[in-house]
Amino acid sequence: MTKRLIYLFILTIALTGCHRSSYHHLKRAQDLWTVHFDSAQYHLVRIDSSELNGEELVEYYFMRMHTLQYQKGLEKEKADSISRMLVKYYPEGHKRAFKARMLRSFCCIHVLGDYPEADSLITAMRPLMRSRNDSINWYGYKVGHERRLGEGDSAILYLKEALRHRVFEESYVYAQMGEIYQQMQKNDSAIESYFRALQTNTNRHDNYRYTLKILGLLYSLKDYDKAKQYIQHLRQWMKRRDIPYINFLEGDMWMQLHQPDSATKYYLIASEAGNSYITTMAYERLASVMEDTPVPRQALNKHIQSIKIRNDLHSNYQRQQEFHNIEALKLKNELNELKVKQQSYVILILGLGAFILILCGSFTIYLLHRKRKHLMQENLLLKQQEELSTLREKEAVLREKDARMREELFRRIRIVKDLEEGNRVHIADADWKDIHVMLENTYPGFLSKLKETFPLLTEKDINFCCLVKIRMSLQNMADVYNISVNSISRRKLRLKEKLGIDKDDSLGKFLNRFV
């Protein structure tokens, strides 16, 4: 029974360990959520949702719903049920109420296609904003939703409101406004917005993108004079490293004006830049220009130079990609080593736990066995004490009976006065018969067994044995027989010889044991 309990306990610990494994991954994902998103996702994908319950399950779905790939990969019914569960579990006033409704609105837009519910959810989310991140998310969702609905003017108003409240960076707001104006075919407003984004932005790559958008709009309007002014304006405030790009843009502008000589000049300047991308594009443009000239070999050389630079860029990219792949493999190997170590630690911990359980079980069994043995000893001792007490009570009863018999014996003694022999105590035959009857009542079968076992005993020997049996003292016996105490002792010795009793044993003990 004890072994079964130990096995059941170990099985319970193992099952609890499995559950704690998913719980451990969930806690690690919560700790890493705001620190390292990819590491949090690593733990999330290893969670078995069937091992979670209650708040743990809600936390798991809450974090998984933040993952775009997970949201888009969900079935409509599951996405609907999970997002509704999050909204219900995080009511208004909860610290996650805003994010739960944000996830619900995302599912309505991208998974369910329910735009009216998404619009009502986004409107209801505004009073629930608590932090700057909540404000960024709300304005981003609201502007994006208005754009999807084709409400460009409303989207512009919300962007301006976000700009007043300093929710987004200025460059981002102006870039979004430029895209909306461009969709609305308000090119002048779009150019102005892109230019404001260019002025307030600090990212060089975004500057190139905004510049291309502005020039593209100007070229579409065929406003080349304004394009020239814009390029000259760029030269005034752009940094030195941006000059090759500006020369490249100016070459494109002269090509738009159908002046290949001026375009070739600026393309040659741009091709001497240290930027490989701009150099490659400049060589390609030069090759295109020189194809229509009387010397096509120059165009061929430019193409060759462009291909060489492009191949160098491709080789560098491949080397970088291989380097990143090697680093990724190293990280994967390190991760596998960490997993192996973790598994070994888990096995070690489980082994130690099992050893401790076995040790505790063995110690418990030892204590129970020792306690049981002690209780058995105590029970035996109590039983012996009880038996001893019972024997003492029986002995006391027998002593009392013997005392009564002795009293009755002395009461029945007749004193006969004989002048010749003097005074002496004499027990008549009738008295001896009464003594035999009383002794038989007290010790049934004593006299018959004594006569049967020792047939050589005389009547006097039997009478003497009766006096010894009722524990009569030597003095009283001496008075009964009217002889000395020494004579009584010698008579006892002679009777012991007849009965075959050892010298170390007494006649009284022998007769007491006899019946």
Side-chain angles (χ1 to χ4, degrees):
M1 185 65 182
T2 307
K3 290 183 178 180
R4 291 181 180 178
L5 291 175
I6 292 174
Y7 293 151
L8 183 61
F9 182 71
I10 293 173
L11 181 60
T12 305
I13 291 295
L15 293 176
T16 306
C18 294
H19 172 72
R20 291 300 95 187
S21 176
S22 293
Y23 178 75
H24 168 74
H25 284 299
L26 179 64
K27 294 299 291 182
R28 289 295 299 160
Q30 288 176 332
D31 296 338
L32 295 170
W33 189 253
T34 57
V35 179
H36 198 278
F37 185 76
D38 292 336
S39 299
Q41 292 300 312
Y42 165 79
H43 288 283
L44 280 177
V45 297
R46 282 158 177 78
I47 293 176
D48 185 1
S49 59
S50 62
E51 296 177 0
L52 303 177
N53 49 47
E55 188 175 355
E56 296 175 357
L57 190 62
V58 176
E59 290 288 330
Y60 166 70
Y61 281 129
F62 181 80
M63 287 188 287
R64 286 306 303 268
M65 288 292 286
H66 276 80
T67 308
L68 185 62
Q69 292 81 359
Y70 180 75
Q71 292 171 341
K72 291 185 176 180
L74 284 175
E75 298 178 357
K76 288 186 177 182
E77 292 79 6
K78 190 171 183 180
D80 186 32
S81 62
I82 292 175
S83 56
R84 287 183 184 277
M85 179 186 69
L86 293 176
V87 172
K88 183 179 179 181
Y89 196 84
Y90 297 122
E92 294 183 5
H94 196 278
K95 63 180 181 179
R96 288 183 171 176
F98 177 85
K99 291 184 179 179
R101 283 151 183 79
M102 181 182 71
L103 294 173
R104 173 63 183 171
S105 62
F106 185 92
C107 287
C108 289
I109 295 170
H110 297 283
V111 181
L112 304 175
D114 191 351
Y115 294 108
E117 184 180 354
D119 187 58
S120 62
L121 278 170
I122 293 171
T123 304
M125 284 163 55
R126 186 164 190 173
L128 303 178
M129 294 187 298
R130 290 189 174 187
S131 62
R132 187 172 184 275
N133 288 332
D134 293 346
S135 301
I136 292 172
N137 289 324
W138 187 83
Y139 278 106
Y141 267 63
K142 189 64 177 176
V143 171
H145 189 61
E146 295 295 331
R147 290 182 64 179
R148 277 187 292 271
L149 295 177
E151 300 292 337
D153 294 331
S154 299
I156 293 292
L157 290 176
Y158 281 111
L159 282 172
K160 289 181 178 179
E161 183 180 344
L163 185 61
R164 286 196 304 271
H165 292 96
R166 299 182 181 275
V167 177
F168 300 115
E169 294 182 358
E170 291 184 58
S171 60
Y172 174 79
V173 174
Y174 286 124
Q176 291 294 316
M177 291 172 63
E179 291 179 1
I180 296 171
Y181 281 130
Q182 190 173 355
Q183 290 176 355
M184 297 169 64
Q185 296 183 353
K186 295 182 179 181
N187 294 331
D188 293 335
S189 299
I191 291 171
E192 183 181 355
S193 298
Y194 282 132
F195 187 71
R196 293 290 299 274
L198 190 63
Q199 288 178 322
T200 56
N201 189 50
T202 57
N203 192 333
R204 184 181 180 189
H205 297 288
D206 288 340
N207 288 338
Y208 294 156
R209 183 162 56 88
Y210 300 150
T211 303
L212 287 176
K213 287 181 178 293
I214 292 170
L215 290 176
L217 289 170
L218 290 174
Y219 294 155
S220 65
L221 295 174
K222 298 188 181 301
D223 192 352
Y224 299 111
D225 292 334
K226 195 170 184 179
K228 287 181 184 180
Q229 294 175 4
Y230 177 72
I231 290 174
Q232 293 300 323
H233 184 71
L234 284 178
R235 289 184 180 277
Q236 294 177 6
W237 63 272
M238 274 194 161
K239 297 180 180 180
R240 183 179 180 85
R241 63 185 180 183
D242 299 324
I243 293 176
Y245 183 68
I246 295 172
N247 290 326
F248 179 78
L249 294 176
E250 195 161 354
D252 284 344
M253 185 194 67
W254 287 112
M255 286 297 294
Q256 291 285 337
L257 293 173
H258 304 288
Q259 296 185 18
D261 294 336
S262 299
T264 300
K265 172 187 173 183
Y266 287 102
Y267 284 146
L268 286 171
I269 296 173
S271 66
E272 296 175 357
N275 191 316
S276 301
Y277 175 76
I278 295 176
T279 302
T280 304
M281 297 300 294
Y283 278 130
E284 289 181 355
R285 295 286 198 280
L286 285 171
S288 299
V289 172
M290 291 178 181
E291 284 178 356
D292 299 329
T293 61
V295 188
R297 186 171 183 80
Q298 294 181 356
L300 179 61
N301 292 332
K302 298 302 180 185
H303 274 301
I304 292 172
Q305 290 177 340
S306 174
I307 292 171
K308 182 180 179 181
I309 295 173
R310 192 181 297 276
N311 289 335
D312 292 340
L313 287 174
H314 184 68
S315 300
N316 291 333
Y317 174 76
Q318 283 186 335
R319 283 194 295 270
Q320 291 178 359
Q321 192 67 29
E322 290 175 357
F323 176 76
H324 288 311
N325 291 336
I326 292 172
E327 291 296 322
L329 288 174
K330 287 182 179 179
L331 291 175
K332 189 175 180 179
N333 291 332
E334 291 178 359
L335 184 62
N336 291 330
E337 290 178 359
L338 289 175
K339 287 181 182 178
V340 172
K341 287 183 179 179
Q342 184 180 7
Q343 291 176 355
S344 62
Y345 289 150
V346 170
I347 293 172
L348 179 62
I349 291 171
L350 289 176
L352 288 175
F355 176 73
I356 292 172
L357 286 175
I358 293 171
L359 188 64
C360 293
S362 302
F363 185 69
T364 304
I365 293 171
Y366 169 73
L367 290 178
L368 291 174
H369 178 71
R370 186 175 178 182
K371 186 175 181 180
R372 182 183 177 186
K373 187 176 180 180
H374 182 67
L375 289 175
M376 290 177 63
Q377 291 177 351
E378 287 184 350
N379 291 333
L380 182 61
L381 182 60
L382 289 174
K383 189 176 181 180
Q384 290 176 351
Q385 290 179 352
E386 185 177 356
E387 291 177 354
L388 182 61
S389 176
T390 304
L391 291 174
R392 287 176 178 174
E393 290 178 358
K394 288 182 180 179
E395 186 178 359
V397 171
L398 292 174
R399 286 181 181 275
E400 186 177 356
K401 288 181 180 180
D402 293 342
R404 286 199 300 269
M405 289 176 64
R406 288 194 300 272
E407 291 178 0
E408 183 68 19
L409 175 63
F410 283 111
R411 188 177 64 81
R412 290 174 177 273
I413 291 175
R414 297 173 183 176
I415 303 175
V416 180
K417 294 182 179 180
D418 192 326
L419 296 176
E420 295 180 359
E421 297 180 2
N423 294 334
R424 63 185 182 85
V425 178
H426 177 72
I427 300 176
D429 294 336
D431 293 333
W432 282 114
K433 290 180 180 181
D434 291 336
I435 292 172
H436 289 176
V437 171
M438 287 188 296
L439 192 66
E440 190 68 23
N441 291 332
T442 305
Y443 302 105
F446 172 74
L447 292 175
S448 59
K449 187 176 180 181
L450 186 65
K451 292 177 181 179
E452 183 180 355
T453 307
F454 305 102
L456 298 178
L457 293 177
T458 62
E459 190 68 22
K460 291 182 180 181
D461 292 334
I462 292 173
N463 292 336
F464 188 82
C465 288
C466 290
L467 296 180
V468 175
K469 179 68 175 176
I470 62 175
R471 295 182 177 84
M472 184 174 285
S473 64
L474 295 175
Q475 184 61 49
N476 290 335
M477 292 175 69
D479 293 337
V480 170
Y481 287 103
N482 197 19
I483 57 178
S484 65
V485 174
N486 292 331
S487 299
I488 295 296
S489 299
R490 286 193 295 272
R491 189 170 183 178
K492 275 188 173 183
L493 291 173
R494 287 194 298 271
L495 191 57
K496 282 175 64 176
E497 292 177 357
K498 283 186 178 182
L499 297 175
I501 301 173
D502 295 335
K503 294 181 179 180
D504 297 333
D505 198 0
S506 65
L507 181 63
K509 290 181 180 180
F510 175 78
L511 293 176
N512 288 333
R513 291 196 306 270
F514 194 70
V515 173

